[in-house]
Amino acid sequence: MLLWSLLVIFAAVNEQAGKLTLLAPSSVFEGDSIVLTCQVEWKWNVQTMAYYKDDRELFVFKEVSSFHIQSAVLSDSGNYFCRTEGKLLPGKSSNIVKIRVQELFQHPVLTASDFQPIEGGPVSLTCETQLSPQRLYVQLRFCFFRENQVLGSGWSSSPELQIPAMWSDDTGSYWCKAETVTPRVRKQSLQSQIHVRRIPISNVSLETRVPGGQVTEGQRLILLCSVAGGTGNVTFSWYRESTGTILGKKTQHSLSAELEILAVKESDAGKYYCQADNGHEPIQSKVVNIPVRIPVSCPVLTLRAPRPQAVVGDLLTLHCEAQRGSSPILYWFYHENVTLGNSSAPSGGGASFNISLTAEHSGNYSCEADNGLGSQRSEAVPISISGPDGYRRDLMTARVLGGLFGVLGFTAAALLLYCLFHKTSGESYATSEPRGASRTNPQVSTYSSPIPDMEELQPVYANVGSVDMDVVYSQVRSIQHSEDSANTIRTFLENKDSQVIYSSVKK
């Protein structure tokens, strides 16, 4: 009887001591924290406490403790319970709690504006997903990938990515990821294939770009090769037609490319073309002729006159010529920096300008050449203008006559001196009366030499101005015969009415 009573009491105590209750959240979303708590009335009897999911043991504690799931995932859904083992009393199991983890947002899906875009065209990628209606306040961010390479700037709050241009190298697998900021739940889309289509190039053209619109020696020249259509990496090449040699090559993702010549030379003039190729077939442009204009060099001024020493009335030709320079060239002529006129050389070479000389035309002459690429001035050339041409001929005549009259003048002077000498001798003889002669006889026989009328020539020499020659001036006096021989010399020297003739002869 006593034993029976003890058994009844023990059974009642064990039933109360073994009662377990599992507590769990009623609503769980991805990323949430799950806390499982196994409640027991007599903790002193608990030797071990274990938690189970779908009859699979999760964890065993040596004491009373809760079980935590930090970030729930969909696979955490299931049936949970706990079980204890007693120190004195037998173990017990708790009630079963069913937990269903809800999806916070759907798996993203990658979409594209075109999965077969034309090369060079833009593509828009979108990472599409949807938040649970109960968690619309959750913030998401997105990231896009091609193969294993991150596209754009990486993670962004925008679910779209704009790619400005797709090229053949961009063909491949694309996918995206979406995740919450807090708590972190990350999901990725399936991979999608994007195939970029390439279009052959068309309408290749070559043009020049130069300052001022014309190619000038020493300036920079740009050869622009472009295509109207075509996709992908385009290889541009430049050629000179006369030699067929390649001048340069560039490969880039564009419809045009430039080749730069830093300083154009005269030898660069000629015909050029370019080619473009994007892997289908090379296309050549039309041939473009590129002339190179040459600035004028410093001109040389040449003066041409009909005689070595220009004189008044001569026709002077001014010839100006620049050795280098593209035509047409306009030449300007100057006298002492005063413009005389201009002359054009349409086909290059030099140009001339004529003037009829006057006394005022002495001085410095210069010229200027200009072909629109800058003007150049020549060095000054001096010229001295003499008297008129007839004056020079008179100089020659005067010299011839001066020489002739000089000889005649010398002869006349000799005769005059001879006569004077003999007359003086006669007078001396008459005054010296001979012995026996009568003093009273007034008639005395004397010697006299008649001097006929004559012209005396006196040569005078001088050098005249810039005329490079000696000039002989001859003075001619007319002497009348006088009966008074003693007064002859005085009359000759004092005669103021003598006729004077000046003439000149060339050297």
Side-chain angles (χ1 to χ4, degrees), residues 112-158:
S113 58
D114 191 350
F115 284 97
Q116 290 186 337
I118 295 175
E119 197 170 28
V123 169
S124 177
L125 300 179
T126 303
C127 194
E128 295 182 350
T129 186
Q130 184 67 45
L131 283 168
S132 171
Q134 299 176 5
R135 298 291 179 93
L136 294 177
Y137 57 86
V138 174
Q139 292 183 349
L140 297 177
R141 61 179 187 171
F142 306 88
C143 189
F144 296 85
F145 301 84
R146 180 176 66 84
E147 306 299 344
N148 293 321
Q149 180 182 0
V150 177
L151 300 179
S153 58
W155 289 97
S156 171
S157 59
S158 174

Side-chain angles (χ1 to χ4, degrees), residues 147-220:
E147 306 299 344
N148 293 321
Q149 180 182 0
V150 177
L151 300 179
S153 58
W155 289 97
S156 171
S157 59
S158 174
E160 293 186 359
L161 176 65
Q162 298 290 336
I163 301 177
M166 296 287 287
W167 306 101
S168 59
D169 295 341
D170 295 328
T171 297
S173 298
Y174 289 76
W175 50 283
C176 68
K177 285 184 178 181
E179 70 175 14
T180 59
V181 178
T182 304
R184 179 165 296 179
V185 177
R186 178 178 295 179
K187 297 181 180 180
Q188 71 179 47
S189 69
L190 298 176
Q191 295 187 0
S192 300
Q193 288 292 323
I194 296 181
H195 179 72
V196 182
R197 295 178 296 161
R198 174 171 290 181
I199 296 178
I201 58 176
S202 60
N203 297 332
V204 182
S205 62
L206 176 66
E207 61 180 298
T208 61
R209 290 183 177 178
V210 291
Q214 58 184 357
V215 182
T216 305
E217 186 181 42
Q219 290 187 339
R220 186 170 65 104

Side-chain angles (χ1 to χ4, degrees), residues 228-240:
T231 59
N233 287 335
V234 181
T235 300
F236 298 91
S237 305
W238 291 264
Y239 298 86
R240 185 165 185 174

